[in-house]
C-alpha cells in the first residue's frame, strides 16, 4: 500500500506471465449441449449461467453451439428461457448487451419427456440432428455433451436412453460425453453399482464426474503453488506442519433442499467429495507430469493411505430448526455439521491430523485451507503464546493466500506481533474476473480434459474412507449434537480441534484488504 492517502498501488506484472500450460486441441464443428433436468435448481443457478458466460466470452461460438434443455415438466422453449432470465435478470442487465442476450436465448431449445422411456429421447435426438443438419455438420464433426443436472437415482436409466437414442452418429472424430453431478452414490456399494451400470454404457474417457470445487481458482492453484515454488518444498511435511484444516461453512440452512439434503447429509454433500478432493491436492506427491492420469494416480494413492476414521475423532451436529422443514422427517438423524479427523499413513504425513470441517447454518460463509506449522524450537522471543505460523488459502469469499507470521512490532521496543504476508486476489488482480467453477469445468468437458474430474478408482477410494461411518449414522448409532443456527457449531467440535493439536491465535483476525 502506498504510504500516503491509503491508495493501493497495483504493479503491472504481465511480462512475467508464462504461456498457458495446457495445449488444448481446438475442435470445431457442431456442438450440442444438452442439460437434462433443465427445470431444476442446479440448471437454473449454475449450468445455464456458466454456459452463458462461456458464450459471452467467445468460448462457445454462435455458429456451432446449440443448447437443449430436457426434463419432464411440460413447458415451452420460451417458458424455459423466461425461467433462466428471471433468475439472472439483474446480472444480465448489468453486464451484457440486449442483442447478445437475445442471441443467446435463441440458442436454447426445450424438449419435454420422461427419463425412462424412449419417446422423449427420440424426440431429443431428432432435434439435435436437425440442428446438426442445419449447421451442415459432416459426419464425425458433431459433438454431443449431455449434462445430467438430475438426482443420481435416475443416472442409470438416463444413460441407457442416451446410449439407445441419442449417440453421436459417427466415430470419425466427433464424440458423445456425459457429465454427472455429485453425490455419485450413497456409499461404496451403491457407487460401485452406479459405476458398473454407467460403465457398461460409456467408456471412462467419455465420463466426467464433476466436483465443482476442483474448478475453483484457488483449488486449481494448489498444484502450482506446491510444485512450482521452492519455498514450500522443504516445509510441506510432518517435520514442519502440525495440522491441516480444510473448512467449509455456510451461513444458511438447507433452504428449499431439505428433502434432498436429508437423504445425504453434510458428509455426503460436502466432505466426501469437495473437501476430500481439496485434501488430495494438499497432500499428494508430485505427479510425474501434468497429464490428467498422472495427477489422478497421485490422488488415488493419498486416498488409499487414509486410515480408518476413529469415533473419538468425529463430531456431528444438527442445527435447531432443521427438522421444521416439512420435507425433513421429524426424527431425522442427518448431520448438518461434521468435523472429522483423517490420518494419512505415509512417510510425509504420519502423525499430522487433517481436520475436515463442514457445516450449514453457521455464523459465516467461507471455505479455506489452514496449514498450521509447529512451534519454533528454542523460542528466544517468548512469542510462542502469540500463536503459530499459518499458511491460509482462502477459497471463498475474498480469494487470498496469506502467511500468518511473527514480526517485530514496529517501534522502539523489541516486541513481537502477529502479521501476515498477504496475496489477496481482489487487490492484486484487479482487472481479472475470476471465472465461476462451472464455467471452467464445462469448458474442460468440451475440450476433453479430465484433469479436474474424478476418476472411478478415486471415487471408490473416497467412499471407502467414509462408508463405515456413514452406515453407523444411517443406522442411528452415531447421533448429531444440536447447535444453534448462526453459531460456530457444537462446542465439542472446537474441543476436538484442540485435541488434534490446533492452537488458536486468540485476538488475531485476518481482514481482507479493501481497495
Ligand atoms: N442445486 C445445487 O446447488 C447443486 C446440485 N448438485 C447436484 O446436481 C444434481 C441436480 O440438483 P438440483 O438441480 O438441485 O436438483 P432438483 O431437485 O432441482 O432436480 C432437477 C430436476 O430433476 C427432476 N427430478 C427431481 N426429482 C426427481 C426424481 N425423483 N426423479 C426424476 N426426476 C426428478 C426435476 O425435473 P422434472 O420433474 O421437470 O423432470 C428437477 O427439475 C443433483 O445430483 C445434485 O446433487 C450439485 C451441486 C450443487
Ligand atoms: O455441492 C454443493 O455445494 C454448495 C456450495 O457450493 P459453493 O460453491 O457455494 O461453496 C452447497 O451449498 C450445496 O449444499 C452442495 O450440494
Amino acid at each position: 500500500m502506498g504510504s500516503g492517502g491509503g491508495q493501493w498501488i497495483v504493479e503491472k506484472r504481465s511480462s512475467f506471465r508464462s504461456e498457458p500450460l495446457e495445449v488444448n486441441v481446438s475442435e470445431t464443428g457442431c456442438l450440442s449441449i444438452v442439460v437434462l433436468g433443465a427445470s431444476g435448481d442446479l440448471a437454473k443457478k449454475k449450468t445455464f449461467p456458466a454456459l452463458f458466460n462461456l458464450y459471452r466470452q467467445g468460448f462457445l461460438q454462435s455458429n456451432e453451439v446449440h443448447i437443449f434443455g430436457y426434463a419432464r415438466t411440460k413447458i415451452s422453449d420460451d417458458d424455459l428461457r423466461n425461467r433462466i432470465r428471471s433468475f439472472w435478470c439483474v446480472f444480465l442487465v448489468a453486464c451484457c448487451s440486449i442483442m447478445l442476450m437475445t442471441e443467446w436465448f435463441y440458442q436454447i431449445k426445450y424438449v419435454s419427456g420422461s427419463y425412462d422411456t424412449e419417446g422423449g429421447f427420440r424426440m431429443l435426438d431428432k432435434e439435435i440432428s436437425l440442428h446438426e443438419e442445419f449447421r451442415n455438420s459432416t459426419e464425425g464433426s458433431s459433438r454431443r455433451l449431455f449434462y445430467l443436472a438430475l438426482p443420481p437415482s435416475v443416472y442409470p436409466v438416463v444413460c441407457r436412453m442416451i446410449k439407445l437414442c441419442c449417440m453421436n452418429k459417427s466415430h470419425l472424430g466427433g464424440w458423445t460425453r456425459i457429465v454427472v453431478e455429485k453425490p455419485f452414490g450413497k456409499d461404496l456399494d451403491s457407487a460401485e453399482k452406479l459405476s458398473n451400470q454407467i460403465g457398461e454404457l460409456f467408456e471412462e474417457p467419455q465420463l466426467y464426474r464433476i466436483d465443482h470445487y476442483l474448478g475453483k481458482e484457488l483449488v486449481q492453484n494448489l498444484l502450482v503453488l506446491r510444485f512450482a515454488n521452492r519455498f514450500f518444498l522443504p516445509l510441506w511435511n510432518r517435520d514442519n506442519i502440525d495440522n491441516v484444516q480444510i473448512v467449509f461453512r455456510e451461513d444458511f440452512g438447507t433452504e428449499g433442499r431439505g428433502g434432498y439434503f436429508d437423504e445425504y447429509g453434510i458428509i455426503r454433500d460436502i466432505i466426501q467429495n469437495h473437501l476430500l478432493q481439496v485434501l488430495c491436492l494438499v497432500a499428494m506427491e508430485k505427479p510425474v507430469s501434468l497429464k490428467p492420469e498422472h495427477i489422478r494416480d497421485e490422488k488415488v494413492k493419498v486416498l488409499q493411505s487414509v486410515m480408518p476414521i476413529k469415533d473419538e475423532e468425529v463430531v456431528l451436529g444438527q442445527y435447531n430448526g432443521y427438522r421444521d422443514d416439512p420435507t425433513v422427517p421429524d426424527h431425522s438423524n442427518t448431520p448438518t455439521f461434521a468435523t472429522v479427523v483423517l490420518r494419512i499413513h505415509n512417510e510425509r504425513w504420519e502423525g499430522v491430523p487433517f481436520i475436515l470441517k463442514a457445516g450449514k447454518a453457521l455464523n459465516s460463509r467461507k471455505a479455506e485451507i489452514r496449514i498450521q506449522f509447529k512451534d519454533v524450537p528454542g523460542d528466544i522471543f517468548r512469542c510462542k503464546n502469540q500463536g503459530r505460523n499459518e499458511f491460509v488459502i482462502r477459497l471463498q469469499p475474498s480469494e487470498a493466500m496469506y502467511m500468518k507470521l511473527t514480526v517485530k512490532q514496529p517501534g522502539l521496543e523489541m516486541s513481537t506481533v502477529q502479521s501476515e504476508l498477504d496475496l489477496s486476489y481482489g487487490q492484486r488482480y484487479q482487472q481479472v474476473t475470476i471465472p465461476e467453477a462451472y464455467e471452467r469445468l464445462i469448458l474442460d468437458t468440451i475440450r476433453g480434459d479430465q484433469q479436474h474430474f474424478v476418476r472411478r478408482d478415486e471415487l471408490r477410494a473416497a467412499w471407502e474412507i467414509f462408508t463405515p461411518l456413514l452406515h453407523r449414522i444411517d443406522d442411528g448409532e452415531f447421533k448429531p449434537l444440536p447447535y444453534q443456527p448462526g453459531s460456530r457449531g457444537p462446542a465439542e467440535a472446537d474441543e476436538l480441534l484442540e485435541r488434534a493439536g490446533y492452537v488458536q491465535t486468540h485476538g488475531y483476525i485476518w481482514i481482507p484488504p479493501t481497495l
Side-chain angles (χ1 to χ4, degrees), residues 46 181-183 212-213 216 248 250 252 257 260-261 266 269-270 273-274 360 365 367 396 436-438:
K46 301 283 188 190
E181 267 293 345
K182 51 121 289 224
H212 77 278
Y213 266 59
K216 291 193 185 276
F248 166 95
E250 266 181 352
F252 51 91
R257 293 178 77 218
Y260 152 81
F261 190 87
I266 197 77
D269 193 44
I270 302 290
N273 32 66
H274 301 329
K360 296 219 169 237
R365 175 181 172 260
Q396 66 187 33
E436 276 290 318
Y438 277 97

Side-chain angles (χ1 to χ4, degrees), residues 39-42 71-73 115 149-151 155 181-183 260 438:
S39 54
D41 188 66
L42 180 77
R72 297 171 304 185
T73 305
Y115 298 119
L150 285 165
Y155 291 171
E181 267 293 345
K182 51 121 289 224
Y260 152 81
Y438 277 97

Side-chain angles (χ1 to χ4, degrees), residues 204-421:
E204 189 65 22
Q206 292 179 289
L207 286 174
Y208 290 74
R209 295 180 197 87
I210 201 165
D211 181 316
H212 77 278
Y213 266 59
L214 291 177
K216 291 193 185 276
E217 182 66 39
L218 276 270
V219 175
Q220 297 217 330
N221 196 13
L222 281 167
L223 280 192
V224 183
L225 197 68
R226 284 193 56 201
F227 300 121
N229 290 295
R230 187 79 202 207
F231 283 138
F232 299 109
L233 291 175
L235 296 181
W236 212 260
N237 55 44
R238 63 192 296 271
D239 298 334
N240 299 288
I241 292 175
D242 189 90
N243 60 77
V244 178
Q245 278 187 69
I246 304 173
V247 179
F248 166 95
R249 309 164 72 85
E250 266 181 352
D251 55 2
F252 51 91
T254 55
E255 282 130 46
R257 293 178 77 218
Y260 152 81
F261 190 87
D262 198 70
E263 241 193 88
Y264 290 91
I266 197 77
I267 296 178
R268 292 182 177 100
D269 193 44
I270 302 290
I271 297 184
Q272 180 270 350
N273 32 66
H274 301 329
L275 300 196
L276 199 58
Q277 284 297 322
V278 173
L279 175 144
C280 286
L281 294 169
V282 172
M284 69 188 228
E285 296 300 314
K286 189 187 228 166
V288 176
S289 78
L290 288 178
K291 289 202 177 106
E293 297 322 319
H294 287 157
I295 293 171
R296 300 194 296 179
D297 287 347
E298 294 306 330
K299 287 165 73 186
V300 173
K301 283 188 213 161
V302 174
L303 293 172
Q304 289 177 337
S305 306
V306 173
M307 306 281 285
I309 298 167
K310 291 189 187 138
D311 278 4
E312 60 274 23
E313 297 203 310
V314 177
V315 172
L316 304 177
Q318 186 188 81
Y319 66 84
N320 296 331
Y322 168 70
R323 297 180 202 173
D324 296 345
D325 181 331
T327 58
V328 172
D330 291 345
H331 301 290
S332 168
N333 195 48
T334 300
T336 58
F337 174 99
T339 298
V340 180
V341 179
L342 297 187
R343 297 192 176 264
I344 300 171
H345 179 54
N346 67 16
E347 199 174 328
R348 185 183 291 275
W349 295 118
E350 189 78 56
V352 179
F354 281 72
I355 305 155
L356 308 190
K357 180 158 94 176
K360 296 219 169 237
L362 297 178
N363 56 352
S364 62
R365 175 181 172 260
K366 72 175 175 190
E368 68 183 21
I369 307 162
R370 183 171 291 269
I371 293 154
Q372 186 170 78
F373 288 83
K374 290 179 188 284
D375 291 326
V376 175
D379 174 22
I380 55 172
F381 297 103
R382 305 223 172 94
C383 57
K384 191 172 150 187
N385 61 1
Q386 281 185 355
R388 288 171 165 175
N389 286 167
E390 289 180 350
F391 178 45
V392 181
I393 300 165
R394 170 66 74 89
L395 307 181
Q396 66 187 33
S398 310
E399 289 89 343
M401 286 178 244
Y402 61 92
M403 281 175 166
K404 181 170 96 47
L405 70 181
T406 305
V407 296
K408 177 185 168 296
Q409 168 87 61
L412 290 175
E413 302 299 332
M414 175 53 84
S415 58
T416 60
V417 67
Q418 298 300 298
S419 190
E420 67 278 318
L421 293 174

Side-chain angles (χ1 to χ4, degrees), residues 38 69-77 80 108-112:
Y70 184 93
R72 297 171 304 185
T73 305
K74 291 197 178 358
I75 47 172
S76 65
D77 294 349
L80 178 66
I108 302 176
K109 169 110 199 107
Y110 181 75
V111 178
S112 164

